[in-house]
Amino acid sequence: MEFPELPPLKMHRRSRNPLKNLFFNAFTKTHFISRFNNSHQSYTNRSSISSYCTSLQLTSLRPKSHSPIKKKNVPRKRDKEKLRRYSESLRDCAANRSLNEGKSIHKQIKESDIELDSHLWVSLINFYAKCGCLSDARQVLDEMPQKDVVSFTALISGFVGEGSGTEALQLFREMHEEGIKPNEFTLAIVLKACCMSLNVSFGKQLHSEIVKAGFFSDGHVGSALVDLYAKCGELEYAEKVCLFLPEQNPVSWNSLLNGFALVGDDQRALNLFCKMKETEMKFNKYTLCTILKGCTISKNLKAGKLVHGMAIVSGCEHEEYVSCSLVDMYSKCGKSDDALKVFSQIKSPDVVTWSAIISCLEQQGKEEKATELFSMMMSSGIRPNQFTFTSIITAAKELGDLQYSQSLHACVHKYGFANETLVNNALITMYMKNKSLDDGLRIFNTTNHQDLVSWNAVLSGFHDTESSHGSRIFKEILVNGFKPNIYTFISALHSCVTSEFGKQVHCHVIKENLDSDCYIGTALIDMYVKSKSIQDAEKIVNRMNEIDLFTWTTIISGCAQINQGEKSILYFNQMNKDGVKPNEFTLAACLRGCSGITSLTNGKKIHSFVIKDGFVNDPFVGSALLDMYGKCGSIDEAEMIFEEMESNDTVLWNTIINQYSQHGYGDKALKVFEVMLTKGISLDGVTFIGILSACSHLGLIKKGREYFHSMSKDHGITPSIDHYALMVDILGRGGKFNEVESFIDEMKLTHNSLILETLLGACKVHGNLELGEKVAKKLFEIEPEVDSNYIMLSNIFASKGMWNEVAKIRAKMSSQGIKKEPGCSWVDLDHGGQTHVFLSQDGSHFQILEIHQKLKELEEKLFSMGYIPNLDYVLHNVSEREKREILSHHSERLALGFSLINKNSNKVVRIFKNLRICGDCHEYMKLVSRIINKDIVIRDAKRFHCFKDGLCSCQDYW
């Protein structure tokens, strides 16, 4: 901010030699009478300079060059008594800011027709100045017959007290023009006005005259000079003035220390503090608080603790001012526990200290503790201010308790902060975070002053939503003439529904030269990844000069979410090369990527990072590890991790239940569920997906019905479409087709594709041609492009030998450009971590001849054990010899042969398949597991099959 220059003054010179840039040449030193000594002492204790004129029972020793005030009549003795009483009354009114009472006294003075002396004139000026009525005070000064230094000083002090530094300087200029010379108290106050208006240029000119006039030796003036230079950032000048003062005093040192503290140079402040101690000057609580301020600004916790130690040694620890500064220092340095310890020792903390500790707890993620302290503050009768409300509302945003949020909103109205923009912005953000969008928008629309923060708060409510409101709000921000900042762009990018809008926001980012910002870069990556524009996301990553942990986590997580697990692992490795240490979210995201591509080798490598970095007991990482091992077919490892973790995290328990269910260990899944109920662990919809899935795999129809109905009846969980689909699967796979149809009609699910697909699958298992045809026709109408629906109906026809109908289905698919997804299996060997993929009847693998030879050896052993291929599973109208050939070259058998000839060191062969395993291959794998001395784990499109010693975990029910 620029301040207006004061007009030049005509200077009176003592000598013929001109002094450049000086407003006046010399001031005669005048003194207040001894009754002013009390004010003088209060200044030494760091009271404001303006307090010198509070007790205005003073007279001025006029300079010899001025004539004394001439009076027509000498007041009688009783008039002197009246003048004294009036002055005392005005002094009390000034102290209590009793404006009406003081005006009444002024009126009595006018009506009394008494002649005012200079003391009463000054008392009137001081009264109006202290009550903030500066225009009235100025009018009294103008009416004063003989103005003096005291009257001008009183009014100048009034302007300074009201924060009008520039006006105070203007009045000082007028005082000079009238030939009235300042005393040391006037100069101290004027220096404060310079400090207030940051007019260091004026202060420097005044400094020259102070030295020349001999006032530099005065402690008040010297300290005011130090304070001026320090607060204006002229620390070199401030230090020189402080060190060269004839008499060192704590006030000037505190001012100098405060200057270094304000610019965050806590080291220099500490050095000066040590030098101050060397002079054997006693430091006080204000000195310690000033040093703590510097430590707080620079967040120098180590230095702050040293000062805390000094406070203890000097006995200042329990001084309220020091304790509050310690709370603030520990809070800003993120040490909430230390801040709480100090806070608990303060007998009567003020609202600033309460606000500091509440803000600290909120920022450190201890929202519940923050709300607890806020309640204590209210109970103690402390009135919260806007900063208190802003902090506690921000804490409430993270709690997700809408009722508590609404009660805070009511408190805002009760205490009269409903029109505070800062508080309203926090309320908007709180409601938006809690998805109470209507409440947030209502506050926004009724806010008198909507700034960019308000718009950003509204925009934040539409993160990761499918509505177009985010794009509309962003456009309104531009239309209303606001210049978007970093937070606007980040919210806009998180609100993008389409990549087209995201690219438009990206253009604005480039236009504002913010594309190099790390946070915006991360938001851009997140937006492009969610839009499945992985190449655009990678371009952003490659252009970034420095990538932080949050950005790495975003790209790794994004790739995992869109089934680009290979790239998740690639970026994770690059992050480690760059020396960036992963956190729990990075590790969990990378583990999800390994799960998606069933890469057990890489998953184990990530597991080693988990152990090394100490995240073994983190529930978020733990559930990701469980999921990875489970989806990679290592249920034993998943079970071991679960047993080692002592956590009541619902996600962790849900993960093990679902993995047990998928691996065919439904009985274990149900036992874990019972333990959850016993321990009182929270249940959710995902829990029941695992339980119903287990019932489906075990064929537990009655049990499935009980669990389904208990969801809403006993646990208050509304079933989703996935739960309905599982119930259809339970009943359909159990052959309860009449009950299935009644259930679908009752729940009004006759047009839901997932429900119909599930029912069609059950029809295929049981060969229910009539119902299968009816369901398939509905599916052809709802989703005509899905190949699996045609294939399932075709397989039903093929199982009945209806080859003409099969041909019609195939022809229909061909005419609509629909291609059947080919059967595909893959295996990941230990050494090298390379994945080998096989298609049915595929002869392209470089080891295909060796694979065929190995499979032939296995078949010879199986034939000797009584194995007879089940040709019914070949749904093609070909000869028996060709059917045998097709069966022997199914993709999962090729993957098995490859794994065996490469001498996999594992005792388990793990094969992954995109379609469901056929019945003949299922029987084949059971027999092979008896002769190769290895377990075989196959994950097909629906579940895991764990073959061991001639048995399968699915118990031949899948």
Side-chain angles (χ1 to χ4, degrees), residues 170-228:
Q170 179 65 30
L171 185 61
F172 177 69
R173 188 189 69 83
E174 292 180 21
M175 170 183 160
H176 175 262
E177 287 179 347
E178 293 196 17
I180 299 174
K181 296 181 179 181
N183 59 25
E184 62 268 40
F185 303 111
T186 316
L187 293 171
I189 294 170
V190 173
L191 285 169
K192 185 173 182 180
C194 293
C195 181
M196 187 176 293
S197 59
L198 297 179
N199 195 336
V200 71
S201 176
F202 191 108
K204 286 179 178 180
Q205 296 176 49
L206 195 55
H207 184 181
S208 299
E209 286 302 315
I210 287 169
V211 173
K212 187 170 182 180
F215 287 118
F216 185 72
S217 60
D218 184 84
H220 311 308
V221 176
S223 297
L225 273 170
V226 175
D227 193 52
L228 166 67

Side-chain angles (χ1 to χ4, degrees), residues 128-303:
Y128 281 118
K130 286 293 186 292
C131 290
C133 300
L134 297 176
S135 58
D136 293 319
R138 179 56 196 257
Q139 185 176 346
V140 173
L141 179 67
D142 291 339
E143 293 173 357
M144 192 172 178
Q146 187 69 37
K147 303 178 183 67
D148 58 10
V149 65
V150 180
S151 56
F152 267 104
T153 302
L155 186 52
I156 292 171
S157 177
F159 277 112
V160 170
E162 291 296 314
S164 303
T166 303
E167 289 80 354
L169 295 180
Q170 179 65 30
L171 185 61
F172 177 69
R173 188 189 69 83
E174 292 180 21
M175 170 183 160
H176 175 262
E177 287 179 347
E178 293 196 17
I180 299 174
K181 296 181 179 181
N183 59 25
E184 62 268 40
F185 303 111
T186 316
L187 293 171
I189 294 170
V190 173
L191 285 169
K192 185 173 182 180
C194 293
C195 181
M196 187 176 293
S197 59
L198 297 179
N199 195 336
V200 71
S201 176
F202 191 108
K204 286 179 178 180
Q205 296 176 49
L206 195 55
H207 184 181
S208 299
E209 286 302 315
I210 287 169
V211 173
K212 187 170 182 180
F215 287 118
F216 185 72
S217 60
D218 184 84
H220 311 308
V221 176
S223 297
L225 273 170
V226 175
D227 193 52
L228 166 67
Y229 287 131
K231 288 183 178 174
C232 290
E234 298 278 0
L235 295 175
E236 186 177 352
Y237 281 105
E239 188 172 3
K240 286 180 180 179
V241 171
C242 183
L243 296 177
F244 285 99
L245 282 174
E247 292 185 10
Q248 305 275 317
N249 63 78
V251 176
S252 58
W253 277 92
N254 288 344
S255 297
L256 179 59
L257 291 171
N258 186 56
F260 284 105
L262 287 173
V263 298
D265 194 348
D266 56 292
Q267 192 58 50
R268 190 67 181 278
L270 283 170
N271 291 339
L272 283 171
F273 178 64
C274 294
K275 188 180 290 187
M276 179 181 177
K277 289 180 66 181
E278 289 172 6
T279 63
E280 297 184 357
M281 184 183 303
K282 289 186 178 180
F283 61 85
N284 54 28
K285 58 184 178 182
Y286 302 108
T287 314
L288 292 173
C289 292
T290 300
I291 299 295
L292 284 171
K293 183 195 297 182
C295 298
T296 302
I297 293 172
S298 62
K299 296 186 178 179
N300 189 337
L301 179 62
K302 185 177 180 181

Side-chain angles (χ1 to χ4, degrees), residues 495-649:
S495 304
C496 288
V497 179
T498 63
S499 60
E500 181 182 356
F501 174 62
K503 288 179 178 179
Q504 291 175 4
V505 177
H506 192 177
C507 289
H508 280 283
V509 168
I510 295 171
K511 183 179 177 182
E512 297 295 335
N513 294 319
L514 292 172
D515 51 321
S516 61
D517 181 83
C518 180
Y519 298 105
I520 289 184
T522 303
L524 282 167
I525 292 167
D526 184 61
M527 181 273 295
Y528 280 123
V529 165
K530 287 177 180 175
S531 302
K532 297 186 178 180
S533 303
I534 193 66
Q535 291 181 343
D536 291 316
E538 289 178 311
K539 288 177 183 177
I540 303 294
V541 173
N542 294 331
R543 281 203 299 266
M544 294 179 74
N545 296 326
E546 186 175 347
I547 307 177
D548 63 6
L549 174 61
F550 186 63
T551 308
W552 280 118
T553 304
T554 300
I555 187 67
I556 290 169
S557 177
C559 291
Q561 289 172 9
I562 60 172
N563 296 321
Q564 294 276 349
E566 298 92 345
K567 289 189 175 180
S568 289
I569 298 165
L570 177 68
Y571 283 120
F572 181 81
N573 292 333
Q574 185 61 51
M575 182 187 78
N576 284 314
K577 287 180 182 178
D578 290 353
V580 180
K581 188 177 180 180
N583 62 12
E584 63 271 34
F585 304 109
T586 321
L587 293 168
C590 202
L591 285 167
R592 303 289 183 199
C594 295
S595 300
I597 60 172
T598 61
S599 178
L600 182 61
T601 303
N602 285 301
K604 287 183 175 180
K605 289 179 181 177
I606 305 301
H607 191 178
S608 68
F609 278 99
V610 171
I611 297 170
K612 179 183 175 183
D613 295 334
F615 292 111
V616 176
N617 294 318
D618 183 87
F620 194 60
V621 176
S623 61
L625 272 171
L626 281 179
D627 188 61
M628 184 276 296
Y629 278 118
K631 287 182 178 175
C632 290
S634 297
I635 189 63
D636 292 339
E637 283 87 347
E639 187 177 44
M640 190 183 304
I641 289 169
F642 176 75
E643 289 175 353
E644 289 175 352
M645 294 189 69
E646 297 181 2
S647 173
N648 291 335
D649 181 67

Side-chain angles (χ1 to χ4, degrees), residues 749-820:
L749 302 170
T750 53
H751 296 287
N752 184 275
S753 59
L754 178 61
I755 298 296
L756 296 175
E757 285 173 6
T758 305
L759 181 56
L760 183 58
C763 291
K764 174 181 173 293
V765 171
H766 291 277
N768 190 330
L769 179 61
E770 182 182 353
L771 182 58
E773 277 192 282
K774 184 171 72 172
V775 172
K777 287 180 181 178
K778 286 185 179 180
L779 282 170
F780 295 160
E781 294 173 3
I782 297 171
E783 42 184 28
E785 73 288 349
V786 177
D787 65 324
S788 58
N789 298 328
Y790 296 92
I791 299 303
M792 278 195 284
L793 181 60
S794 173
N795 290 343
I796 294 173
F797 285 139
S799 65
K800 302 292 184 181
M802 302 171 65
W803 301 110
N804 290 335
E805 297 300 324
V806 172
K808 289 179 182 178
I809 294 293
R810 303 282 179 175
K812 186 173 183 180
M813 289 176 66
S814 179
S815 65
Q816 295 182 355
I818 301 171
K819 293 183 179 180
K820 175 184 178 295

